[in-house]
Amino acid sequence: MNASHHASGTSGLPPIDHAETILDLVGRTPLVRLSRVLRDVGPADRLPLVLAKLEMLNPGGSVKDRIGLPMIEAAERAGLLRPGGTIVEPTSGNTGHGLAIAAALRGYRCVFVMADKQSAEKQALLRAYGAEVVLCPSNVEPGSPESYYSVARRLARDIPGAWQPDQYSNPANPEAHERTTGPEIWEQTRGRVTHLVASAGTVGTLTGTARYLRSRSPDLVVVGADPEGSVLSGDTARPYLTEGVGEDFYPAAYAPELVDRWVRVSDRDAFLAARRLTREEGILAGESCGTALVATIRLVRELAVAPDGATKVVVVILPDTGRNYLSKLYSDEWMRSNGLLATTGERLRVADLLRDRHHQGARPDVVLVRTTERVGDAIGRFQEHGISQMPVSEAPEGDDAGAIVGSVEETGLLERAYRDPAIVERTIGEVMGRPLPTIEEERSVDDAYALLAGGAAAILVMREGRLGGIVTRLDILEHLAHPDRG
Ligand code: PMP
C-alpha cells in the first residue's frame, strides 16, 4: 500500500490511516465475481470463476488513471516537461482525467483534444478539472488536418512549453500496466488466473497486463475484445459508436504475439451487455465494459463445455464507469434513435399478436374460401366473420397450407360485383388474386410490419408448417396502441 500513516508530532497515538494525495489511491482495484450475467451461459457447476477487475473505482473513474502520473514523471525525468508546462493530448476523455488529476497536483496546464462523438459528460468532466477542451470532427481520416490527432500535434508544436504524452506511442503506458495491473491480478488470484479478457484502444492495458501475466504463467490465454470497424482485430476501419476502444491504426503497444484471439463485438451487443452489468450485477459500467463482457461470455460458453472448464479462472478488465455515458448508453431515447435498443415490435413475436386475438375469442384462427366456391358465398363469409381478406385453398376440405393458391379481398370482390352483378355466380378460382405472403409465427412483429408496409394486404402466419392465423396492418397497430389488452 502507498497510503501512509500520519505520525508526525503525535508519538504514542495510534497512526491515522490515510493517503498523502489522491494519486496514491490509483490502482489496487478489487476483483468481483460475475454470476448473474452468466446465468444462461452454461450449467452453474461447469462455469469457470469469472472475476471483473473494477477499474472504474480508480479516483478518476477509469483504468487510465494508471498511466497519467507515470507518463508525466517519465517526461519530467527526460526534461520534456518543465514547471509551468502545458500537457496537450488527443484523448477520448479517460486519459485526460488521469493526466488532469496528476497535472492538478503538479501544477501543469492541460489542453485536451477530442473527437466530437465523445459524450458531453466526458468533456464537462475534463473542464471540471480546469482543463481546456478542443473538439474535432469524428469521422475524418486520422491523417486529415482536422482529425483530433493532427490538431493535437499542431497545438503541441505551437504552444510554448507544451508536451504531448502520446499515449499511443508512449512506452510508459503499457509499462504502467505491466508494473501494476498485471501483478495485482496475479496476487489477487494467487497465481490461479488462466484467462485474461480486455478491450483495447491504445492496447496499453491488454499488452502490459498480458506481458506480466505471461511472464508468470506461459499458458495464460489472452483474449482481446474489439469493436466491429476497428483494425486491431483485423476488421476494415469504419465508424462505430463504442467509445474508448478500437482504432483505425496500429498503436505502438500493439503486440499480436501476446493475444491468442480477438473477439469482434458490435455496438449493439456491447451497449446491451454494459447495461446488463449495471442492471444485473449492479456495476455501473461504461461501453467498453460491454465490449469486454461480450468477449467474456463467448469464452465462458466454450469453457462451460470443456471437461476442465470449471477449474479455470477468467479475469476481465472493466475500464470505466457508466457515469460517463448517462446521455448515451443510459438514455433509452439515444439508444433507440441509434438503433441500439429494441423497439416494441422487435421484442414482440407474431405469435403474441395471435395469442391476443385468441383471448378475445372473436373468430376462428383462419377463415378460408375454396377455389370451387361461388363469389357470392365468399362475400357472405367476409360479412359473417367481419374480416376483409381470405386465403384461397384448392383442397376440398381442411386448412392444408400447401393447398393455398390465392387470396381474395372483400372490397375488391364487392367492387367487381357492383360493376358486373353476374360475377357472384362465378367461382373463386376464376377471380382470385395472388396468394398472401407468409411468415413464421416466431418472427418479430417488426418483420411482419415490414412485409405489410411493402404492400401486402395481410400475411398468413405459419405455425409448424400449418396455417396459424392471418394478420393485417390494423392488427399490429391496434396491438401496439393497446399493449395491455392481451
Ligand atoms: N475503455 C475506455 C472507456 C477507454 O477510454 C480506454 C482507453 N482508450 C480503453 C477502454 C482501452 O484501454 P487501452 O487504451 O489501454 O487499450
Side-chain angles (χ1 to χ4, degrees), residues 273-293:
R275 284 176 156 227
R276 289 191 63 196
L277 277 170
T278 304
R279 292 179 184 183
E280 296 174 39
E281 304 278 358
I283 301 169
L284 185 59
E287 300 166 1
S288 64
C289 297
T291 311
L293 178 62

Side-chain angles (χ1 to χ4, degrees), residues 63-64 92 94-95 122 167 173 177 199-206 243-245 288 319-320 325:
V63 67
K64 291 300 193 169
S92 68
N94 285 327
T95 300
K122 282 182 172 175
Q167 57 171 332
N173 168 6
H177 294 286
S199 45
T202 68
V203 202
T205 308
L206 183 63
E243 288 184 46
V245 283
S288 64
D320 79 343
Y325 312 93

Side-chain angles (χ1 to χ4, degrees), residues 2-3 34 38 59 82-83 112 114 133 207 211 239 270 326 333 347 356 363 370 394 438 477 479:
N2 277 341
L34 298 183
L38 301 172
R82 298 174 195 284
F112 295 121
M114 56 203 276
V133 175
T207 299
R211 183 162 285 139
L326 294 180
E333 201 183 323
R347 280 196 308 272
D356 250 29
R363 48 177 126 96
R370 304 188 189 277
E394 63 178 358
T438 60
L477 296 177
H479 181 88

Side-chain angles (χ1 to χ4, degrees), residues 190-250:
R190 313 273 184 252
R192 287 175 51 207
V193 57
T194 58
H195 294 71
L196 172 72
V197 183
S199 45
T202 68
V203 202
T205 308
L206 183 63
T207 299
T209 309
R211 183 162 285 139
Y212 177 83
L213 291 175
R214 271 277 172 75
S215 75
R216 303 302 302 264
S217 169
D219 294 335
L220 179 88
V221 176
V222 178
V223 179
D226 195 39
E228 285 178 358
S230 158
V231 301
L232 299 177
S233 59
D235 206 357
T236 35
R238 59 178 183 279
Y240 52 87
L241 293 166
T242 312
E243 288 184 46
V245 283
E247 291 300 340
D248 47 13
F249 65 101
Y250 296 97

